[in-house]
Amino acid sequence: MSKHRNREEAVNTQLALFISKLGVTADAETIHVHGKHRPDVLFQLRGLRVVIEGKFADTPNAKDVVLGDARKRVKAGIAHIAVAAVYPDELRSAPTTKITEVLSNAELRYRIVTETFESDSWFEGTPAALMEALRRAQESLTKDDIVETTAKALSVHLESIAKLWIGQPGACDRLSKLLGVGIPKKEDAKAAFDRRETAAKVSALVLANAFIFQEQLSLTDERVETLRKLKKEADIVEATSKHWRWIWENINYVPIFQLGERILDELPASASTTEIVKSLLDEAHRICAEQAALRHDLMGRIYHWLLHHAKYLGTYYTSVAAATLLLKVALDLDWPTDFGSARELADFKVADLACGTGTLLMASAQALTDSFIKARAESDRSIEAKDLSVLHSTLMQNVVHGYDILPSAIHLTASTLALLAPEVAFRQMNLFVMPIGMDHGNARLGSLDFLAGDQIQTQFALDNTHLDAVQTGASKSAYANAKVPKLDLCVMNPPFVSSRYGNRLFGSIPEDRTKLQQELSKQARKLGISATAGLGALFVPLADKHIKPGGRIAFVLPIALASGESWGAVRKYLADRYHLEMVITSHDPSRTNFSENTDLSELLFLARKLKSGEIAGETRYVTLKRNPTTIHEALDTAARISSALNKLGAHTTVVPIRGSGRVLGEITSLPAPEGTENWTSAIFSQSYLAQVHWHLVKDRALVLPGNTTKHPIPLCRLDELGALGYDVRDITDAFEVDRTASQWTPHAGFWDHDAEKVIQIAQKPNAYLTARKEALEGRKLKSATAVWSKAGTLLLVSRLRTNTHKVIATGFAQPVLGNTWWAFKDNALSEDQRKVLLLWLNSCFGLLLYFGRRAITQGAWMQMKKPAWEGMPVLDVRKLNPTQLSNLVSIYDALSSQHLQPLAQLDGDPIRLKIDEALCQTLGAPSLAPIRDLMVREPGLTGRDYGAVTATTEPDDDEDDADVEADGD
């Protein structure tokens, strides 16, 4: 290397180190220098890779040269941000030992290049000014969701195209068959319209995708026409069809261009078709200018929005930001693999057994690319275009494996992954369309068929009726044996709907639905997994079957996994075999989900498969107050999580995740859960409150935050005091309900939970029940005598919305049954003991224990299943002495008919404050003021950010509530 180049490298390195010191002074998590790379320097800025390209001012065309180099680094994906810097002459002549001193005051000329924008002029300033420019660039990238912006624009365009095509049912039916969207034998008009609309939208998306891929290929293959040239053709539809055929016949990329050509062939010859194709070409040409969007599953994002039948197929697609966060955190953990070696990386296997459009696989490829570049920079290995080409080839041919039942989704996965490096010719991609449906009497369940082994053999029949796996890639598709290798990492957001409450699991093939559900239940029983947890529960043991000892699983699942009773078997399955390393939850009221198409609350978790004799270490719970919405914000958050993890230790069990001017969340380290034990810390946003709950449950003592003194509280399980009655289905199978209460019967009821009417603890019946004479259609007649035998004078909520509802338990002067309540029949408690139990359940104590065991659906809407109530710790009223009992009964008599405020307002409710004071005084416990203060800061209780001016308005209509059921809870 020349002396001149050595000098440039030295200045580049010193500039990066100098910026690093500035960053650390301002914010400890701002910059970590990872190493150097000749002739530029690579470092990290809040999770983003930054490259400095520098030249001395007397270099010929210095500005043009460094700007061109900076653009190349960003375009190649080596950096998210590149600095083009021109150094003044005094830096060339400064002694090596004085470079830092001279540099600190030097006036540099610089320009910033990022994935989404470029500064429009050259600036002059010191390294401190450059540092501020980098900060602004990073913050701008964090806020700028190029994928969402681009996806919205294209999806609106596709929606308008679909409206034009939907009037041609014949064409839409042919498009349905092309895309593998089955046409049921019995289909009503509404279902047919929805299916045709979906086929039209996805077809338009496939055409746009093919145009984009063509333009990317034209950059490196002169035989492929540019979109600008293609647009000049007189008959653009015919010219496009011919050119796409030529590409797949002479170059390859059959799945992309052959499918596009076939779609064009199904469109009628008309001026409308010509205009539509032209408009798609123009939109594709515009999108090609947004290279950052193409690197982050743009097509998958659009596909998610276009699908009408997401819930019917049981599919909720991972958001790009969530996928980025999960995989970045996962691959930042300790791994034995040298990620900087493509040869060693070839043996590292990643799979998604329900990959959809490949969002998690794309995020895996991106995170592995980050790890590759980081490892090579730290060891001073080269990072050139040829190195990245070898990496991309290795990732696509050896590392990444995807499986799904939707052909159109797999098609987009193949093209999206190939767009990472369109100039690289892959021999094959390990992507498979899995068979689903009845095959000669045998139920085929897609990837779940891998529960029986790691390979599914292709079988051919003369009548072509066998359902076989299809291996798909950017180059070709063909029937092939589908195999899952032994995996280092299994990533998944499996379909997690259950078949209850009208969800149409296997709804895309209704004629086979019953038989497929029977096979699914059979598989669940074999594994000891509750079928009521939903389909997603089976994918955990499926992943486990193919993971190496020491390998990891990284899942997106409903937050019911943390506390839902039906998910207990899955928690135990993991506890017995894995070290649950990390659980990430969002307590951002606007986004408690990590998937598109749903507002159900979810969690992310990472678990490492234990080796023989290994004992699980502690679990890290990451509770986010801000759920990242953009790719770069996710990278920023992941970097801050990694930084916070390094601060955890034996004496530091809670660490805040700090952002720019605010706390983004916190990390808590606790012993790994055992057996079916709840992941309770995941459902609190504040560790201090989780610790109070933990002590109440484990030690049966109140320990205030920041205190070690234990104040014993006489607690017992609720089922030690009595038993819960039947659920609403059994009640309605046994009784007819008169909600007007016009006809008196011996069987009283309390129907619904109107937040505007149920405002006090003591209640009166509002309905009467009459024993049925005949069974409801499709149901068996239940014994009214048996059901009524479990009626009770206490009703406990089965579901509630804490920012509108006022009570957790209500009391009656006579036995009752309720439809949104669990009847509680006590074991010979006295009337006074029942009154005190009602006080406890509606106190801050009761709400905290309820909150810590709740099954979350979304935000402040939650449920409590029968087993969860039965195990609930409550005040053991049998252990109170007569004086204590008498004192609390007098409080109940004075307050039980008083109007309570919503549970989320417990800190300002004078009635609840009196209940808390009476309990604490009687039990010798300290004031609950700190706990109330923490509770009202919980977004999961209030449905809003603490300190927000107004609360989120949420419906409290009982009919709405009845429809919002947590899948798999």
Side-chain angles (χ1 to χ4, degrees), residues 234-272:
D235 186 343
I236 191 171
V237 178
E238 180 66 17
T240 299
S241 179
K242 285 182 177 179
H243 192 53
W244 285 356
R245 171 177 282 273
W246 184 89
I247 293 174
W248 70 257
E249 285 183 343
N250 295 276
I251 300 179
N252 220 321
Y253 304 106
V254 177
I256 296 167
F257 293 106
Q258 187 182 69
L259 181 59
E261 180 202 350
R262 288 178 176 175
I263 288 173
L264 289 175
D265 288 346
E266 298 300 339
L267 302 180
S270 66
S272 173

mmCIF file of all heavy atoms in Angstrom, residues 234-272:
data_model
loop_
_atom_site.group_PDB
_atom_site.id
_atom_site.type_symbol
_atom_site.label_atom_id
_atom_site.label_comp_id
_atom_site.label_asym_id
_atom_site.label_seq_id
_atom_site.Cartn_x
_atom_site.Cartn_y
_atom_site.Cartn_z
ATOM 1 N N ALA A 234 -44.566 -0.523 -28.676
ATOM 2 C CA ALA A 234 -45.920 -0.180 -29.136
ATOM 3 C C ALA A 234 -46.971 -1.006 -28.398
ATOM 4 O O ALA A 234 -47.996 -0.475 -27.955
ATOM 5 C CB ALA A 234 -46.025 -0.408 -30.644
ATOM 6 N N ASP A 235 -46.734 -2.331 -28.299
ATOM 7 C CA ASP A 235 -47.638 -3.209 -27.555
ATOM 8 C C ASP A 235 -46.887 -3.663 -26.310
ATOM 9 O O ASP A 235 -46.178 -4.675 -26.319
ATOM 10 C CB ASP A 235 -48.059 -4.410 -28.405
ATOM 11 C CG ASP A 235 -49.111 -5.278 -27.726
ATOM 12 O OD1 ASP A 235 -49.276 -5.152 -26.491
ATOM 13 O OD2 ASP A 235 -49.753 -6.081 -28.422
ATOM 14 N N ILE A 236 -47.039 -2.923 -25.232
ATOM 15 C CA ILE A 236 -46.222 -3.160 -24.040
ATOM 16 C C ILE A 236 -46.543 -4.499 -23.376
ATOM 17 O O ILE A 236 -45.663 -5.158 -22.830
ATOM 18 C CB ILE A 236 -46.403 -1.996 -23.023
ATOM 19 C CG1 ILE A 236 -45.338 -2.106 -21.916
ATOM 20 C CG2 ILE A 236 -47.804 -1.956 -22.448
ATOM 21 C CD1 ILE A 236 -45.297 -0.915 -20.998
ATOM 22 N N VAL A 237 -47.806 -4.929 -23.458
ATOM 23 C CA VAL A 237 -48.183 -6.210 -22.840
ATOM 24 C C VAL A 237 -47.509 -7.361 -23.574
ATOM 25 O O VAL A 237 -46.900 -8.241 -22.952
ATOM 26 C CB VAL A 237 -49.715 -6.390 -22.834
ATOM 27 C CG1 VAL A 237 -50.080 -7.746 -22.229
ATOM 28 C CG2 VAL A 237 -50.374 -5.257 -22.051
ATOM 29 N N GLU A 238 -47.598 -7.356 -24.900
ATOM 30 C CA GLU A 238 -46.990 -8.418 -25.700
ATOM 31 C C GLU A 238 -45.471 -8.397 -25.564
ATOM 32 O O GLU A 238 -44.818 -9.447 -25.417
ATOM 33 C CB GLU A 238 -47.387 -8.250 -27.167
ATOM 34 C CG GLU A 238 -46.815 -9.313 -28.105
ATOM 35 C CD GLU A 238 -47.355 -10.708 -27.838
ATOM 36 O OE1 GLU A 238 -48.407 -10.810 -27.160
ATOM 37 O OE2 GLU A 238 -46.723 -11.689 -28.281
ATOM 38 N N ALA A 239 -44.883 -7.201 -25.582
ATOM 39 C CA ALA A 239 -43.429 -7.080 -25.470
ATOM 40 C C ALA A 239 -42.945 -7.579 -24.113
ATOM 41 O O ALA A 239 -41.916 -8.260 -24.017
ATOM 42 C CB ALA A 239 -43.019 -5.627 -25.675
ATOM 43 N N THR A 240 -43.702 -7.248 -23.070
ATOM 44 C CA THR A 240 -43.336 -7.700 -21.719
ATOM 45 C C THR A 240 -43.410 -9.215 -21.627
ATOM 46 O O THR A 240 -42.500 -9.872 -21.111
ATOM 47 C CB THR A 240 -44.274 -7.061 -20.675
ATOM 48 O OG1 THR A 240 -44.150 -5.653 -20.731
ATOM 49 C CG2 THR A 240 -43.930 -7.552 -19.276
ATOM 50 N N SER A 241 -44.492 -9.776 -22.132
ATOM 51 C CA SER A 241 -44.672 -11.230 -22.090
ATOM 52 C C SER A 241 -43.525 -11.951 -22.818
ATOM 53 O O SER A 241 -42.959 -12.918 -22.304
ATOM 54 C CB SER A 241 -46.014 -11.598 -22.724
ATOM 55 O OG SER A 241 -46.211 -12.990 -22.712
ATOM 56 N N LYS A 242 -43.168 -11.456 -24.006
ATOM 57 C CA LYS A 242 -42.089 -12.084 -24.789
ATOM 58 C C LYS A 242 -40.741 -11.978 -24.072
ATOM 59 O O LYS A 242 -39.963 -12.931 -24.042
ATOM 60 C CB LYS A 242 -41.997 -11.441 -26.171
ATOM 61 C CG LYS A 242 -43.098 -11.853 -27.131
ATOM 62 C CD LYS A 242 -42.888 -11.208 -28.502
ATOM 63 C CE LYS A 242 -43.955 -11.669 -29.484
ATOM 64 N NZ LYS A 242 -43.784 -11.026 -30.820
ATOM 65 N N HIS A 243 -40.474 -10.796 -23.510
ATOM 66 C CA HIS A 243 -39.179 -10.599 -22.858
ATOM 67 C C HIS A 243 -39.070 -11.449 -21.598
ATOM 68 O O HIS A 243 -38.014 -12.034 -21.327
ATOM 69 C CB HIS A 243 -38.973 -9.125 -22.519
ATOM 70 C CG HIS A 243 -37.553 -8.807 -22.118
ATOM 71 N ND1 HIS A 243 -36.465 -9.151 -22.891
ATOM 72 C CD2 HIS A 243 -37.041 -8.196 -21.007
ATOM 73 C CE1 HIS A 243 -35.345 -8.758 -22.294
ATOM 74 N NE2 HIS A 243 -35.683 -8.177 -21.140
ATOM 75 N N TRP A 244 -40.163 -11.561 -20.857
ATOM 76 C CA TRP A 244 -40.118 -12.393 -19.655
ATOM 77 C C TRP A 244 -39.916 -13.859 -20.023
ATOM 78 O O TRP A 244 -39.188 -14.580 -19.342
ATOM 79 C CB TRP A 244 -41.392 -12.197 -18.842
ATOM 80 C CG TRP A 244 -41.413 -10.874 -18.103
ATOM 81 C CD1 TRP A 244 -40.417 -9.950 -18.052
ATOM 82 C CD2 TRP A 244 -42.498 -10.341 -17.335
ATOM 83 N NE1 TRP A 244 -40.803 -8.869 -17.297
ATOM 84 C CE2 TRP A 244 -42.084 -9.079 -16.836
ATOM 85 C CE3 TRP A 244 -43.776 -10.789 -17.026
ATOM 86 C CZ2 TRP A 244 -42.905 -8.278 -16.040
ATOM 87 C CZ3 TRP A 244 -44.601 -9.990 -16.227
ATOM 88 C CH2 TRP A 244 -44.164 -8.752 -15.743
ATOM 89 N N ARG A 245 -40.574 -14.292 -21.108
ATOM 90 C CA ARG A 245 -40.361 -15.680 -21.552
ATOM 91 C C ARG A 245 -38.892 -15.882 -21.929
ATOM 92 O O ARG A 245 -38.290 -16.903 -21.586
ATOM 93 C CB ARG A 245 -41.266 -16.010 -22.740
ATOM 94 C CG ARG A 245 -40.936 -17.369 -23.397
ATOM 95 C CD ARG A 245 -41.895 -17.692 -24.528
ATOM 96 N NE ARG A 245 -43.150 -18.164 -23.992
ATOM 97 C CZ ARG A 245 -43.417 -19.440 -23.685
ATOM 98 N NH1 ARG A 245 -42.483 -20.376 -23.879
ATOM 99 N NH2 ARG A 245 -44.575 -19.800 -23.218
ATOM 100 N N TRP A 246 -38.316 -14.911 -22.629
ATOM 101 C CA TRP A 246 -36.908 -15.030 -23.036
ATOM 102 C C TRP A 246 -36.010 -15.130 -21.803
ATOM 103 O O TRP A 246 -35.071 -15.934 -21.776
ATOM 104 C CB TRP A 246 -36.499 -13.820 -23.883
ATOM 105 C CG TRP A 246 -35.084 -13.949 -24.394
ATOM 106 C CD1 TRP A 246 -34.669 -14.535 -25.564
ATOM 107 C CD2 TRP A 246 -33.886 -13.535 -23.720
ATOM 108 N NE1 TRP A 246 -33.297 -14.508 -25.669
ATOM 109 C CE2 TRP A 246 -32.788 -13.891 -24.546
ATOM 110 C CE3 TRP A 246 -33.631 -12.893 -22.518
ATOM 111 C CZ2 TRP A 246 -31.472 -13.639 -24.195
ATOM 112 C CZ3 TRP A 246 -32.311 -12.635 -22.170
ATOM 113 C CH2 TRP A 246 -31.243 -13.001 -23.003
ATOM 114 N N ILE A 247 -36.311 -14.352 -20.766
ATOM 115 C CA ILE A 247 -35.484 -14.368 -19.550
ATOM 116 C C ILE A 247 -35.538 -15.745 -18.889
ATOM 117 O O ILE A 247 -34.496 -16.335 -18.573
ATOM 118 C CB ILE A 247 -35.936 -13.274 -18.553
ATOM 119 C CG1 ILE A 247 -35.647 -11.887 -19.120
ATOM 120 C CG2 ILE A 247 -35.208 -13.446 -17.210
ATOM 121 C CD1 ILE A 247 -36.194 -10.745 -18.262
ATOM 122 N N TRP A 248 -36.747 -16.287 -18.702
ATOM 123 C CA TRP A 248 -36.797 -17.560 -17.974
ATOM 124 C C TRP A 248 -36.330 -18.730 -18.831
ATOM 125 O O TRP A 248 -35.882 -19.755 -18.298
ATOM 126 C CB TRP A 248 -38.160 -17.797 -17.332
ATOM 127 C CG TRP A 248 -39.356 -18.092 -18.197
ATOM 128 C CD1 TRP A 248 -40.347 -17.241 -18.534
ATOM 129 C CD2 TRP A 248 -39.738 -19.364 -18.764
ATOM 130 N NE1 TRP A 248 -41.313 -17.855 -19.296
ATOM 131 C CE2 TRP A 248 -40.966 -19.172 -19.440
ATOM 132 C CE3 TRP A 248 -39.171 -20.636 -18.779
ATOM 133 C CZ2 TRP A 248 -41.627 -20.193 -20.113
ATOM 134 C CZ3 TRP A 248 -39.830 -21.662 -19.443
ATOM 135 C CH2 TRP A 248 -41.037 -21.441 -20.104
ATOM 136 N N GLU A 249 -36.381 -18.597 -20.148
ATOM 137 C CA GLU A 249 -35.886 -19.666 -21.009
ATOM 138 C C GLU A 249 -34.369 -19.601 -21.198
ATOM 139 O O GLU A 249 -33.713 -20.637 -21.341
ATOM 140 C CB GLU A 249 -36.552 -19.602 -22.382
ATOM 141 C CG GLU A 249 -37.992 -20.106 -22.399
ATOM 142 C CD GLU A 249 -38.582 -20.085 -23.796
ATOM 143 O OE1 GLU A 249 -38.023 -19.394 -24.677
ATOM 144 O OE2 GLU A 249 -39.617 -20.754 -24.010
ATOM 145 N N ASN A 250 -33.780 -18.401 -21.162
ATOM 146 C CA ASN A 250 -32.362 -18.239 -21.497
ATOM 147 C C ASN A 250 -31.465 -17.876 -20.316
ATOM 148 O O ASN A 250 -30.271 -18.162 -20.347
ATOM 149 C CB ASN A 250 -32.204 -17.177 -22.589
ATOM 150 C CG ASN A 250 -32.822 -17.593 -23.898
ATOM 151 O OD1 ASN A 250 -32.210 -18.293 -24.698
ATOM 152 N ND2 ASN A 250 -34.069 -17.181 -24.126
ATOM 153 N N ILE A 251 -32.031 -17.226 -19.318
ATOM 154 C CA ILE A 251 -31.216 -16.845 -18.161
ATOM 155 C C ILE A 251 -31.607 -17.660 -16.933
ATOM 156 O O ILE A 251 -30.753 -18.170 -16.221
ATOM 157 C CB ILE A 251 -31.374 -15.336 -17.851
ATOM 158 C CG1 ILE A 251 -30.936 -14.503 -19.065
ATOM 159 C CG2 ILE A 251 -30.538 -14.949 -16.628
ATOM 160 C CD1 ILE A 251 -31.092 -12.994 -18.858
ATOM 161 N N ASN A 252 -32.885 -17.790 -16.665
ATOM 162 C CA ASN A 252 -33.459 -18.543 -15.546
ATOM 163 C C ASN A 252 -34.484 -17.682 -14.824
ATOM 164 O O ASN A 252 -35.151 -16.908 -15.463
ATOM 165 C CB ASN A 252 -32.395 -19.074 -14.574
ATOM 166 C CG ASN A 252 -32.764 -20.486 -14.116
ATOM 167 O OD1 ASN A 252 -33.925 -20.783 -13.879
ATOM 168 N ND2 ASN A 252 -31.776 -21.355 -14.024
ATOM 169 N N TYR A 253 -34.561 -17.789 -13.522
ATOM 170 C CA TYR A 253 -35.579 -17.092 -12.729
ATOM 171 C C TYR A 253 -36.991 -17.482 -13.184
ATOM 172 O O TYR A 253 -37.877 -16.649 -13.323
ATOM 173 C CB TYR A 253 -35.380 -15.568 -12.816
ATOM 174 C CG TYR A 253 -34.006 -15.141 -12.382
ATOM 175 C CD1 TYR A 253 -33.047 -14.733 -13.320
ATOM 176 C CD2 TYR A 253 -33.637 -15.193 -11.039
ATOM 177 C CE1 TYR A 253 -31.770 -14.369 -12.921
ATOM 178 C CE2 TYR A 253 -32.356 -14.830 -10.640
ATOM 179 C CZ TYR A 253 -31.438 -14.421 -11.580
ATOM 180 O OH TYR A 253 -30.183 -14.071 -11.191
ATOM 181 N N VAL A 254 -37.169 -18.774 -13.378
ATOM 182 C CA VAL A 254 -38.445 -19.291 -13.895
ATOM 183 C C VAL A 254 -39.629 -18.922 -13.003
ATOM 184 O O VAL A 254 -40.644 -18.410 -13.506
ATOM 185 C CB VAL A 254 -38.371 -20.826 -14.079
ATOM 186 C CG1 VAL A 254 -39.704 -21.375 -14.551
ATOM 187 C CG2 VAL A 254 -37.253 -21.186 -15.051
ATOM 188 N N PRO A 255 -39.580 -19.148 -11.683
ATOM 189 C CA PRO A 255 -40.769 -18.869 -10.857
ATOM 190 C C PRO A 255 -41.236 -17.423 -10.947
ATOM 191 O O PRO A 255 -42.427 -17.155 -10.864
ATOM 192 C CB PRO A 255 -40.288 -19.203 -9.434
ATOM 193 C CG PRO A 255 -39.170 -20.154 -9.619
ATOM 194 C CD PRO A 255 -38.480 -19.700 -10.872
ATOM 195 N N ILE A 256 -40.294 -16.513 -11.127
ATOM 196 C CA ILE A 256 -40.657 -15.091 -11.145
ATOM 197 C C ILE A 256 -41.256 -14.696 -12.483
ATOM 198 O O ILE A 256 -42.373 -14.156 -12.554
ATOM 199 C CB ILE A 256 -39.421 -14.223 -10.825
ATOM 200 C CG1 ILE A 256 -38.947 -14.518 -9.402
ATOM 201 C CG2 ILE A 256 -39.732 -12.740 -11.014
ATOM 202 C CD1 ILE A 256 -37.591 -13.965 -9.082
ATOM 203 N N PHE A 257 -40.552 -14.977 -13.561
ATOM 204 C CA PHE A 257 -40.978 -14.467 -14.869
ATOM 205 C C PHE A 257 -41.979 -15.372 -15.566
ATOM 206 O O PHE A 257 -42.812 -14.901 -16.341
ATOM 207 C CB PHE A 257 -39.752 -14.210 -15.742
ATOM 208 C CG PHE A 257 -38.904 -13.091 -15.228
ATOM 209 C CD1 PHE A 257 -37.688 -13.341 -14.614
ATOM 210 C CD2 PHE A 257 -39.335 -11.781 -15.325
ATOM 211 C CE1 PHE A 257 -36.915 -12.304 -14.116
ATOM 212 C CE2 PHE A 257 -38.570 -10.734 -14.834
ATOM 213 C CZ PHE A 257 -37.357 -10.994 -14.223
ATOM 214 N N GLN A 258 -41.937 -16.675 -15.305
ATOM 215 C CA GLN A 258 -42.928 -17.550 -15.922
ATOM 216 C C GLN A 258 -44.312 -17.269 -15.339
ATOM 217 O O GLN A 258 -45.305 -17.194 -16.075
ATOM 218 C CB GLN A 258 -42.558 -19.021 -15.716
ATOM 219 C CG GLN A 258 -43.470 -19.982 -16.485
ATOM 220 C CD GLN A 258 -43.102 -21.417 -16.220
ATOM 221 O OE1 GLN A 258 -43.293 -21.920 -15.115
ATOM 222 N NE2 GLN A 258 -42.555 -22.083 -17.233
ATOM 223 N N LEU A 259 -44.381 -17.089 -14.021
ATOM 224 C CA LEU A 259 -45.663 -16.775 -13.398
ATOM 225 C C LEU A 259 -46.178 -15.423 -13.894
ATOM 226 O O LEU A 259 -47.362 -15.274 -14.204
ATOM 227 C CB LEU A 259 -45.521 -16.765 -11.871
ATOM 228 C CG LEU A 259 -46.802 -16.474 -11.081
ATOM 229 C CD1 LEU A 259 -47.883 -17.494 -11.398
ATOM 230 C CD2 LEU A 259 -46.510 -16.460 -9.580
ATOM 231 N N GLY A 260 -45.271 -14.447 -14.015
ATOM 232 C CA GLY A 260 -45.676 -13.145 -14.537
ATOM 233 C C GLY A 260 -46.216 -13.249 -15.948
ATOM 234 O O GLY A 260 -47.249 -12.643 -16.289
ATOM 235 N N GLU A 261 -45.527 -14.034 -16.777
ATOM 236 C CA GLU A 261 -45.977 -14.210 -18.159
ATOM 237 C C GLU A 261 -47.361 -14.863 -18.203
ATOM 238 O O GLU A 261 -48.235 -14.453 -18.979
ATOM 239 C CB GLU A 261 -44.969 -15.077 -18.925
ATOM 240 C CG GLU A 261 -45.354 -15.321 -20.373
ATOM 241 C CD GLU A 261 -44.680 -16.559 -20.952
ATOM 242 O OE1 GLU A 261 -43.774 -17.111 -20.292
ATOM 243 O OE2 GLU A 261 -45.071 -16.965 -22.053
ATOM 244 N N ARG A 262 -47.575 -15.867 -17.381
ATOM 245 C CA ARG A 262 -48.860 -16.572 -17.382
ATOM 246 C C ARG A 262 -49.996 -15.659 -16.921
ATOM 247 O O ARG A 262 -51.128 -15.756 -17.412
ATOM 248 C CB ARG A 262 -48.769 -17.812 -16.493
ATOM 249 C CG ARG A 262 -47.915 -18.910 -17.122
ATOM 250 C CD ARG A 262 -47.790 -20.109 -16.195
ATOM 251 N NE ARG A 262 -47.043 -21.191 -16.834
ATOM 252 C CZ ARG A 262 -46.695 -22.321 -16.214
ATOM 253 N NH1 ARG A 262 -47.008 -22.504 -14.926
ATOM 254 N NH2 ARG A 262 -46.031 -23.260 -16.865
ATOM 255 N N ILE A 263 -49.701 -14.787 -15.987
ATOM 256 C CA ILE A 263 -50.729 -13.826 -15.550
ATOM 257 C C ILE A 263 -51.089 -12.887 -16.695
ATOM 258 O O ILE A 263 -52.275 -12.618 -16.952
ATOM 259 C CB ILE A 263 -50.234 -13.036 -14.320
ATOM 260 C CG1 ILE A 263 -50.213 -13.960 -13.085
ATOM 261 C CG2 ILE A 263 -51.116 -11.813 -14.054
ATOM 262 C CD1 ILE A 263 -49.592 -13.338 -11.859
ATOM 263 N N LEU A 264 -50.083 -12.401 -17.397
ATOM 264 C CA LEU A 264 -50.353 -11.529 -18.550
ATOM 265 C C LEU A 264 -51.219 -12.241 -19.583
ATOM 266 O O LEU A 264 -52.097 -11.635 -20.201
ATOM 267 C CB LEU A 264 -49.045 -11.064 -19.189
ATOM 268 C CG LEU A 264 -48.203 -10.060 -18.392
ATOM 269 C CD1 LEU A 264 -46.888 -9.797 -19.111
ATOM 270 C CD2 LEU A 264 -48.967 -8.755 -18.186
ATOM 271 N N ASP A 265 -50.971 -13.530 -19.773
ATOM 272 C CA ASP A 265 -51.725 -14.303 -20.772
ATOM 273 C C ASP A 265 -53.206 -14.415 -20.410
ATOM 274 O O ASP A 265 -54.044 -14.632 -21.292
ATOM 275 C CB ASP A 265 -51.133 -15.707 -20.909
ATOM 276 C CG ASP A 265 -49.785 -15.699 -21.616
ATOM 277 O OD1 ASP A 265 -49.445 -14.653 -22.217
ATOM 278 O OD2 ASP A 265 -49.062 -16.717 -21.541
ATOM 279 N N GLU A 266 -53.537 -14.291 -19.118
ATOM 280 C CA GLU A 266 -54.929 -14.434 -18.686
ATOM 281 C C GLU A 266 -55.706 -13.120 -18.759
ATOM 282 O O GLU A 266 -56.914 -13.102 -18.558
ATOM 283 C CB GLU A 266 -54.993 -14.974 -17.249
ATOM 284 C CG GLU A 266 -54.394 -16.361 -17.066
ATOM 285 C CD GLU A 266 -55.095 -17.418 -17.907
ATOM 286 O OE1 GLU A 266 -56.255 -17.192 -18.316
ATOM 287 O OE2 GLU A 266 -54.488 -18.477 -18.154
ATOM 288 N N LEU A 267 -55.012 -12.019 -19.042
ATOM 289 C CA LEU A 267 -55.682 -10.722 -19.064
ATOM 290 C C LEU A 267 -56.264 -10.459 -20.449
ATOM 291 O O LEU A 267 -55.625 -10.757 -21.458
ATOM 292 C CB LEU A 267 -54.697 -9.612 -18.686
ATOM 293 C CG LEU A 267 -54.022 -9.759 -17.319
ATOM 294 C CD1 LEU A 267 -53.070 -8.589 -17.069
ATOM 295 C CD2 LEU A 267 -55.066 -9.839 -16.208
ATOM 296 N N PRO A 268 -57.457 -9.904 -20.515
ATOM 297 C CA PRO A 268 -58.080 -9.635 -21.828
ATOM 298 C C PRO A 268 -57.329 -8.539 -22.575
ATOM 299 O O PRO A 268 -56.749 -7.634 -21.976
ATOM 300 C CB PRO A 268 -59.495 -9.177 -21.449
ATOM 301 C CG PRO A 268 -59.364 -8.641 -20.061
ATOM 302 C CD PRO A 268 -58.318 -9.487 -19.395
ATOM 303 N N ALA A 269 -57.312 -8.662 -23.911
ATOM 304 C CA ALA A 269 -56.668 -7.646 -24.748
ATOM 305 C C ALA A 269 -57.554 -6.418 -24.783
ATOM 306 O O ALA A 269 -58.648 -6.434 -25.353
ATOM 307 C CB ALA A 269 -56.446 -8.195 -26.156
ATOM 308 N N SER A 270 -57.110 -5.349 -24.160
ATOM 309 C CA SER A 270 -57.918 -4.130 -24.107
ATOM 310 C C SER A 270 -57.028 -2.946 -23.767
ATOM 311 O O SER A 270 -55.908 -3.109 -23.272
ATOM 312 C CB SER A 270 -59.030 -4.253 -23.053
ATOM 313 O OG SER A 270 -58.462 -4.324 -21.759
ATOM 314 N N ALA A 271 -57.546 -1.765 -24.017
ATOM 315 C CA ALA A 271 -56.809 -0.548 -23.673
ATOM 316 C C ALA A 271 -56.606 -0.463 -22.164
ATOM 317 O O ALA A 271 -55.580 0.024 -21.678
ATOM 318 C CB ALA A 271 -57.571 0.681 -24.176
ATOM 319 N N SER A 272 -57.601 -0.961 -21.423
ATOM 320 C CA SER A 272 -57.511 -0.946 -19.962
ATOM 321 C C SER A 272 -56.338 -1.791 -19.476
ATOM 322 O O SER A 272 -55.572 -1.370 -18.603
ATOM 323 C CB SER A 272 -58.816 -1.464 -19.351
ATOM 324 O OG SER A 272 -58.681 -1.606 -17.953
#
